[in-house]
Amino acid sequence: MKTWNRTSLLTGVLAGITAALLSMGANTQSSLAIVLYAASALPILIAGLGWGNAAAIAAIVVAGGAAVALVSPYFALLIVVVTLVPAGWLSHLSNLARPASELGGPEGSLAWYPLSDILVHLAGLVTVGMVIVGYIVGYDSSVSDIMVDMVIEAVKAQEPLYNPDAAAIAQLKSIFTLALPLVQGAIWVLMLFAAYYLATRIVQLSGKALRPREDVPSSLRMHRNAIFVFLGGLALTFFGGAPAVIGALVCGTFGAGFLLSGFASFHFRTRGKSWRLPVLWIAYLSVFVFTIPAFFFLLSGLIDTRRAIALTPTGKN
């Protein structure tokens, strides 16, 4: 376990300042906002993965304090609950290990916290964070209604003959009310996991990593119990109102976890094939451009659920 020493605290302070600057940059550069917001998790992750909980906590406190002082408490709340705390918690989970013998494994080895459980925690944290922010800022269907109205007005400006009836507009608004939290939740889980993956590689290259490098295509799966959470979110979407919005958010966050699992399974199954690289490129481009093929990978992730535990000899840690 890393101790609360001067180096870890100083590292945390520097990471917090970096995270705050990235977040404030996202607040001013709308075109790159989501990328900069996700990138603000990277310093927290690197500090936590390489220098332990002390560095991660110091980074979160410094970044949150800077956001309060330089922007506003609402902005600080946004980045803390949706970005900084999830990043710090992921780094904490990633560094957890216990004797493998306690789990029925070999003597003299450490069993690391499963990547599948880390992914489930990420989906849950993003869900809770977005619900908290939505409650405080007063999110409701009027937000999506305004966005639909803006889109319709933009289309009318390009096509003067376009004049949808009230029933079509109402149906579009009801669909968009659920689609918006679903997409937002899914994108945020994907972005934060990308930051986590990049942070683990950076820390490993620096030689500071506690956790061994894992074979992600074979170990990245969702816990089987996450299926029930996903189905529960799907059921909530039929209740209407706030429960439907929360259900759509759950479908988005946990669905993104299963989507990542499906892509990892696809990487694993195509390993060693001569046609692997072009097929992977086609798969990613088809999902990015057409979206619909993502359901294939989502289904693959739902089917292939398990917990792979990484083991390392005790003497190497």
Side-chain angles (χ1 to χ4, degrees):
M1 177 67 67
K2 300 278 179 138
T3 58
W4 289 73
N5 54 46
R6 183 178 300 177
T7 302
S8 62
L9 291 176
L10 179 59
T11 301
V13 170
L14 293 175
I17 294 172
T18 304
L21 291 175
L22 287 169
S23 298
M24 287 184 284
N27 205 32
T28 57
Q29 299 291 331
S30 59
S31 59
L32 296 175
I34 190 169
V35 176
L36 291 175
Y37 275 129
S40 66
L42 197 57
I44 311 296
L45 287 163
I46 292 174
L49 291 170
W51 285 266
N53 291 338
I57 293 172
I60 293 171
V61 171
V62 170
V68 170
L70 300 176
V71 184
S72 70
Y74 284 116
F75 177 73
L77 175 67
L78 171 66
I79 65 171
V80 166
V81 301
V82 177
T83 305
L84 305 184
V85 168
W89 185 247
L90 291 185
S91 67
H92 166 69
L93 294 178
S94 185
N95 287 338
L96 290 180
R98 62 191 299 185
S101 57
E102 295 181 4
L103 304 173
E107 294 287 345
S109 296
L110 285 177
W112 296 86
Y113 200 78
L115 191 57
S116 60
D117 291 7
I118 292 175
L119 186 56
V120 170
H121 275 260
L122 173 59
L125 286 168
V126 171
T127 302
V128 172
M130 287 192 168
V131 168
I132 292 173
V133 172
Y135 175 78
I136 292 177
V137 302
Y139 176 87
D140 55 28
S141 60
S142 63
V143 176
S144 58
D145 291 349
I146 293 172
M147 296 182 69
V148 171
D149 290 336
M150 291 173 61
V151 171
I152 291 176
E153 291 301 322
V155 173
K156 285 182 177 180
Q158 298 292 328
E159 297 289 340
L161 297 178
Y162 178 73
N163 188 26
D165 56 29
I169 294 176
Q171 185 177 16
L172 182 61
K173 287 182 178 180
S174 65
I175 294 174
F176 204 76
T177 298
L178 300 182
L180 183 60
L182 187 150
V183 172
Q184 286 179 329
I187 289 177
W188 200 238
V189 169
L190 295 175
M191 297 288 282
L192 287 186
F193 184 81
Y196 169 76
Y197 179 82
L198 181 58
T200 58
R201 291 296 179 259
I202 292 173
V203 175
Q204 285 161 0
L205 289 174
S206 69
K208 297 290 295 182
L210 287 175
R211 189 183 182 95
R213 180 170 180 174
E214 292 182 74
D215 181 22
V216 174
S218 64
S219 61
L220 181 60
R221 302 293 186 274
M222 284 285 274
H223 193 289
R224 63 175 59 91
N225 291 339
I227 295 177
F228 300 108
V229 180
F230 180 78
L231 293 178
L234 186 62
L236 281 176
T237 60
F238 293 96
F239 283 79
V245 173
I246 294 175
L249 176 61
V250 170
C251 288
T253 53
F254 281 82
F258 286 111
L259 180 64
L260 286 168
S261 175
F263 273 116
S265 178
F266 189 64
H267 274 260
F268 182 73
R269 294 174 186 277
T270 58
R271 181 172 288 171
K273 307 294 184 182
S274 59
W275 40 264
R276 182 173 187 263
L277 188 59
V279 168
L280 287 175
W281 274 104
I282 292 173
Y284 280 107
L285 286 174
S286 64
V287 170
F288 181 77
V289 175
F290 301 108
T291 306
I292 294 178
F295 288 101
F296 167 79
F297 295 101
L298 173 63
L299 181 61
S300 177
L302 287 166
I303 294 173
D304 187 5
T305 56
R306 55 187 172 83
R307 300 173 76 215
I309 301 177
L311 300 177
T312 54
T314 305
K316 292 187 176 181
N317 296 275

